[in-house]
Amino acid sequence: ASLARILLTLAARAHVTTPFEAPPGVELTRRRSDRNTVLYALNHTASPQTVAGIGTARDLLTGARHSGSVPLDPYGVRVLELS
């Protein structure tokens, strides 16, 4: 079995949940400070993808505002400040 499958199985057994929904091939990293929370989203695939469950966010690279979900271009990156 792959490491990803093992980790997903262990997380499910421990009832670990994530607030974000990322499709396969999309990497999410959340960083928190005393001032804000930033979500890094990296699409490692050749297809457009969507990350759901982000709430309200501002793209720190473009200034665009997103609510609910954010699209990712093929091999795209988003740096989102979560509200």
Side-chain angles (χ1 to χ4, degrees):
S2 72
L3 179 58
R5 179 177 282 161
I6 292 169
L7 293 174
L8 289 171
T9 300
L10 291 173
R13 287 183 183 170
H15 305 289
V16 174
T17 60
T18 177
F20 311 110
E21 298 172 30
V26 174
E27 175 185 348
L28 299 177
T29 304
R30 181 173 53 180
R31 296 288 183 248
R32 295 182 197 179
S33 73
D34 293 337
R35 295 181 309 154
N36 62 6
T37 300
V38 175
L39 179 69
Y40 299 88
L42 292 82
N43 182 3
H44 296 282
T45 74
S47 301
Q49 302 289 344
T50 300
V51 175
I54 64 162
T56 302
R58 180 173 61 97
D59 189 319
L60 295 176
L61 300 176
T62 67
R65 300 225 176 247
H66 301 277
S67 182
S69 65
V70 61
L72 288 168
D73 291 333
Y75 303 106
V77 174
R78 298 274 189 184
V79 180
L80 303 167
E81 182 178 42
L82 303 178
S83 300

